[in-house]
Amino acid sequence: MSLFDLMLRNYFDEKMLEKLSKVKILIIGCGGLGSNIAVLLVRCGVKNLTIVDFDKVDISNLNRQNYFFYQAGEDKTSALKDILSKINPYVSVKAVNMKVDESNIDGLILEHDIIVEAVDNELTKVLIFRKAHQHGKKVVLASGIAGFGDCENIKIKRGKNFSIIGDFVTSIQEKKPLAPKVVAVAAMQADEVLRMVSELEFD
């Protein structure tokens, strides 16, 4: 057992620790939401994580994305994998550098227990939700993360196998996404993932 696992014993019971070690989580999108969600989940003891994105780290996005200045120009997936491995060297992170679409999403979703939507494109959000529902997977989504000064408007809407988090109003097309609100939503998405993990049963 690693020192990281020993530390986690202060926060979770054995049953939850076992679930965290077995659950397979897919994060689609490694920007402001996805990079922060991944960091939070690894800090909480998630052992098996797949991160998917097709973009590179851009200096203009460092106001909200969990990367470092020196990583500018790197693939987001490889840069994030490096960060996660520094947090917990024993985590298993599969970095997939590709754009998710109708042709490749099914295979990704079928391999995982919980799906996390962390993308900007509205059509891709709908695709992720539809496919997760189709395959009977739990999914956590975001809607409304832009602007600042109104984090009290962030809400959680839950249904069968899904949670959606955000203010359900603001669009990044109208307002800029800034770290406080983006990270607040990311933290709530990560918390919903933990709640879903606690509900899972493994053989």
Side-chain angles (χ1 to χ4, degrees):
M1 181 173 292
S2 71
L3 288 175
F4 199 91
D5 291 331
L6 288 172
M7 176 272 293
L8 288 171
R9 285 173 174 263
N10 293 315
Y11 302 97
F12 298 110
D13 61 27
E14 291 297 325
K15 187 174 182 180
M16 186 63 175
L17 286 173
E18 183 180 8
K19 290 181 179 183
L20 288 168
S21 71
K22 290 182 176 180
V23 68
K24 295 180 180 178
I25 295 173
L26 170 66
I27 299 178
I28 302 176
C30 297
L33 291 173
S35 62
N36 285 295
I37 293 167
V39 165
L40 291 167
L41 291 178
V42 167
R43 289 191 187 281
C44 288
V46 167
K47 294 285 186 66
N48 303 292
L49 194 62
T50 299
I51 52 176
V52 183
D53 205 306
F54 62 93
D55 210 352
K56 296 183 182 296
V57 177
D58 191 309
I59 291 173
S60 66
N61 296 325
L62 293 181
N63 74 314
R64 64 190 183 280
Q65 297 182 2
N66 204 322
Y67 298 103
F68 296 93
F69 195 89
Y70 73 87
Q71 292 178 308
E74 294 182 24
D75 291 336
K76 284 181 177 177
T77 51
S78 61
L80 183 55
K81 181 176 181 177
D82 183 58
I83 291 169
L84 299 176
S85 298
K86 284 182 170 65
I87 295 170
N88 182 2
Y90 304 96
V91 69
S92 175
V93 180
K94 182 179 179 182
V96 181
N97 189 42
M98 74 176 190
K99 187 172 185 177
V100 169
D101 58 30
E102 191 84 39
S103 70
N104 55 34
I105 191 171
D106 291 283
L108 280 171
I109 285 180
L110 284 169
E111 294 175 359
H112 297 85
D113 303 302
I114 299 175
I115 317 303
V116 180
E117 175 275 307
V119 303
D120 294 333
N121 186 279
E122 296 294 333
L123 292 178
T124 307
K125 284 177 179 283
V126 173
L127 174 65
I128 294 167
F129 179 71
R130 177 167 58 83
K131 288 294 186 176
H133 177 73
Q134 178 182 321
H135 294 298
K137 301 291 186 176
K138 295 180 181 293
V139 60
V140 180
L141 311 100
S143 178
I145 64 168
F148 64 92
D150 60 349
C151 280
E152 71 275 9
N153 293 327
I154 298 172
K155 302 177 181 66
I156 301 175
K157 293 184 179 180
R158 296 188 181 109
K160 181 176 173 56
N161 284 337
F162 75 86
S163 298
I164 309 176
I165 299 161
D167 64 24
F168 300 91
V169 177
T170 59
S171 167
I172 60 173
Q173 312 302 327
E174 302 167 358
K175 294 182 178 181
K176 299 294 184 184
L178 299 168
K181 193 169 181 182
V182 172
V183 176
V185 173
M188 292 175 71
Q189 283 186 272
D191 192 64
E192 279 298 288
V193 170
L194 292 180
R195 184 184 66 80
M196 290 178 173
V197 171
S198 72
E199 296 173 347
L200 292 173
E201 294 296 335
F202 295 97
D203 295 330

